[in-house]
Amino acid sequence: MLVKAESPAPPAEDELLLLGLASPAPSLPSSAGEEEAASPARPGSARPSGPRRREGKRRPGRCRTAEAAQRLKRSRRLKANNRERNRMHHLNAALDALRDVLPTFPEDAKLTKIETLRFAHNYVWALTETLRLAGGAAAAARAGPDGGLEASPSPASSCSPAPSASPYACTLSPASPDGSASDAEHWAPPRGRFVPPPAAAAAAAPPGIGVRLNSGMSA
DNA sequence: TAGGCCATCTGGTCCT
DNA sequence: AGGACCAGATGGCCTA
């Protein structure tokens, strides 16, 4: 990767290749056995490690058409590359938008992609629980002191939807909202990089809304 | 320096 | 046929 551009960069070299002006232009294969001359799209870019087709059996009389086919193929590939690049840029933009609505601490902390998805997953669940518990708050108050999850502090206290009011306490904890084991595998965080909530919120965190403190924090 | 994260390229598959 | 989507591969950057 050469450029970490948030916006799609003009594929200058790609265009050159399309025009047959860039160095790897496949215009004149030096030998019949030459291997896909135009493949190195840009320096530092990935090259497929798999078996590559060889053109060794190209017949002399078909050189021109084979070349044209090669060029057409290359042209399509480059267009596909551009589309794919744009697609990923849009995906990243959506991810950024998601980051924007997720409360982080510190506020400018940037979650990784996987962290963003995990946190959003838990955050949505926390908000859902908040609504659910708020709806049944009166009943819960009459129900008595015990009651498992229902008796634990409301997620609202450990996962504030208002970042400005207080640091949230949502987490990237492996514990999935629905508690399924398979889900836990999917959502298990690689490591504790995410930081946030104060100890008070940590203590109040219910199952699935665990709190992570720096690298050593536990759910 | 190893490992994590990321952008990009690429070929395959599915869909319109 | 062409585009969207996907997963694998690769190399760069950054941090512990």
Side-chain angles (χ1 to χ4, degrees):
Chain A
M1 172 187 60
L2 297 177
V3 178
K4 278 198 170 185
E6 288 300 328
S7 60
E13 189 170 352
D14 289 355
E15 289 172 353
L16 288 179
L17 283 172
L18 278 173
L19 293 172
L21 299 176
S23 52
S27 55
L28 282 176
S30 56
S31 68
E34 179 170 323
E35 184 172 356
E36 199 163 9
S39 44
R42 61 182 63 207
S45 68
R47 290 216 50 169
S49 61
R52 309 284 292 186
R53 297 161 316 292
R54 294 195 154 269
E55 310 289 342
K57 292 189 176 180
R58 184 182 300 170
R59 279 184 265 163
R62 299 185 54 190
C63 179
R64 177 157 290 178
T65 56
E67 228 177 81
Q70 184 87 295
R71 202 146 24 200
L72 177 63
K73 186 177 181 181
R74 183 65 191 158
S75 165
R76 286 174 180 161
R77 221 325 94 199
L78 292 178
K79 283 205 299 184
N81 287 351
N82 278 331
R83 285 195 305 272
E84 177 67 8
R85 211 178 301 132
N86 282 331
R87 196 180 70 86
M88 295 311 294
H89 285 164
H90 285 134
L91 185 63
N92 288 338
L95 215 44
D96 282 338
L98 182 57
R99 284 190 185 100
D100 284 345
V101 299
L102 292 176
T104 57
F105 180 84
E107 292 210 14
D108 60 345
K110 187 183 180 184
L111 302 176
T112 65
K113 291 181 174 183
I114 187 66
E115 285 171 344
T116 300
L117 292 175
R118 283 175 179 150
F119 179 39
H121 182 250
N122 283 357
Y123 188 50
V124 165
W125 176 82
L127 294 179
T128 302
E129 280 298 288
T130 298
L131 288 176
R132 187 177 68 81
L133 293 179
R142 287 190 300 268
D146 60 331
L149 176 60
E150 271 58 39
S152 67
S154 163
S157 65
S158 59
C159 189
S160 168
S164 57
S166 67
Y168 68 102
C170 275
T171 185
L172 305 171
S173 151
S176 69
D178 60 13
S180 66
S182 59
D183 217 15
E185 289 177 10
H186 284 290
W187 296 98
R191 57 191 169 87
R193 176 174 170 278
F194 184 50
V195 187
I209 302 287
V211 173
R212 301 174 65 80
L213 297 173
N214 287 322
S215 59
M217 56 190 175
S218 58

